[in-house]
Amino acid sequence: KESDSSLMYHQYHGSEQFESEEEEVYIVKQRWGYCSILFSIVQTVVLATMMIKCGIAPIQVNPMIGPYPDVLSEWGAKNAVLILDNGEWWRLVTPILLHAGVIHLLCNVAVQLETGAFFEREWGSLIWTTIYLVSAVGSSILSVIAMPNSISVGSSGAVMGLFGAKLSEACLRFFERIKSDQDHVAHKVRREQLVACLCSVLIVGLFSFIPYVDWAAHFGGLVSGILVGVPIFALHIENVWWRTLWIIVGVSLLIMSFVWSLTYIYSGAIEPAEELSDICGYYKQFFEDYECTCVRA
């Protein structure tokens, strides 16, 4: 028998809702997580294209079962030297479209299509995409600051941002007055989501310090998601004074953190390894018979 919190989807008066055996209803904004699905498809196609065009690296070079590291850099990975010295600022965004390999892709896409898609159905595609992209940039910025000598790819920083935004939503709306059955169900769902998000963040945090995983991107995405989530979900606060206060606090912290971070990385304080400008030669130092199959002429 399903528990009270087990929810089944169906459509109701043009809105989307979930209903359990006890007729509890949780209304969401849309039927599908359109952007979650779109990003997942693009990320899958990009990885498949890289592997077909540029080959698969030996397992000792890339244990994720994917292309050579220089290929990732050529296709838009976070590379601090190219961002800071060559002005390739777009590399703060493009890493979310790339993954180190099949294992990396499956892990991120699984979360993106399950939890991430459900958040999108709750929030709507515009809010979801805003949080996803802001968190992606924030994850790359902190990675440049804390790990300037690494090549980083993956959407895990952006996914962590979704968790961070959900934490902000759950905390800001925790003390809402319950006026209806829908408010009661929504409050219960957010409470369960808060616990699930905390567990997910803890698990990801524990795995953030193993080789080939960028802990700074995870942390940067989480913090960025929390910060961007504050002004977005403060709009739901009923009391106008508390709503105004949290919007001002959220917007101020978000702007200050990004302005300070961008100012810092372009101030000359960060000195990444110059060898990363020749990414093929850089990796040839560490692996015998390393092949550079997709270097631009």
Side-chain angles (χ1 to χ4, degrees), residues 12-238:
Y12 177 69
H13 294 319
S15 299
E16 309 304 333
Q17 68 182 16
F18 292 85
E19 186 172 4
S20 72
E21 295 177 354
E22 289 74 16
E23 299 298 324
E24 285 190 333
V25 174
Y26 180 48
I27 300 174
V28 295
K29 288 187 175 181
Q30 56 194 54
R31 180 170 187 174
W32 303 105
Y34 302 106
C35 292
S36 305
I37 296 171
L38 177 61
F39 272 105
S40 298
I41 291 173
V42 171
Q43 290 158 354
T44 302
V45 171
V46 169
L47 178 62
T49 304
M50 283 195 297
M51 294 173 68
I52 292 171
K53 184 176 180 179
C54 303
I56 302 174
I59 200 72
Q60 65 269 22
V61 175
N62 185 350
M64 296 291 180
I65 311 176
Y68 285 86
D70 65 278
V71 175
L72 299 175
S73 181
E74 289 291 328
W75 282 59
K78 184 225 84 182
N79 184 327
V81 168
L82 300 182
I83 292 172
L84 300 179
D85 295 346
N86 292 11
E88 298 181 7
W89 57 266
W90 44 269
R91 289 179 180 271
L92 296 175
V93 181
T94 51
I96 63 172
L97 300 178
L98 308 173
H99 285 82
V102 175
I103 297 174
H104 190 201
L105 176 73
L106 290 176
C107 291
N108 283 346
V109 166
V111 178
Q112 207 163 264
L113 289 177
E114 180 64 30
T115 307
F118 185 73
F119 289 170
E120 184 180 354
R121 293 160 75 183
E122 287 184 294
W123 301 337
S125 295
L126 179 60
I127 289 176
W128 187 94
T129 304
T130 300
I131 294 169
Y132 191 82
L133 293 179
V134 170
S135 301
V137 174
S139 69
S140 295
I141 290 175
L142 187 58
S143 182
V144 169
I145 294 173
M147 302 183 67
N149 297 327
S150 68
I151 301 299
S152 301
V153 295
S155 60
S156 52
V159 171
M160 286 291 283
L162 298 177
F163 287 132
K166 175 55 71 173
L167 293 176
S168 291
E169 180 190 23
C171 291
L172 286 171
R173 304 185 69 180
F174 186 80
F175 296 103
E176 279 187 354
R177 287 183 295 175
I178 298 176
K179 300 178 180 178
S180 65
D181 291 340
Q182 172 58 201
D183 290 341
H184 173 75
V185 175
H187 184 75
K188 183 169 68 174
V189 170
R190 284 194 297 269
R191 187 170 63 243
E192 293 174 353
Q193 288 176 333
L194 176 61
V195 175
C197 283
L198 289 173
C199 292
S200 298
V201 169
L202 178 61
I203 292 171
V204 174
L206 293 175
F207 280 96
S208 293
F209 296 95
I210 64 176
Y212 297 100
V213 175
D214 191 338
W215 67 266
H218 288 172
F219 186 70
L222 176 66
V223 173
S224 298
I226 291 173
L227 293 179
V228 73
V230 170
I232 288 176
F233 297 113
L235 293 170
H236 296 283
I237 298 176
E238 295 179 352

Side-chain angles (χ1 to χ4, degrees), residues 239-276:
N239 184 285
V240 65
W241 299 110
W242 282 111
R243 180 169 66 243
T244 303
L245 174 63
W246 280 112
I247 290 174
I248 292 174
V249 169
V251 170
S252 300
L253 289 176
L254 183 65
I255 292 175
M256 286 191 297
S257 62
F258 271 82
V259 169
W260 178 87
S261 300
L262 290 170
T263 301
Y264 180 77
I265 66 174
Y266 285 107
S267 67
I270 299 173
E271 298 181 359
E274 290 297 328
E275 294 90 341
L276 289 174

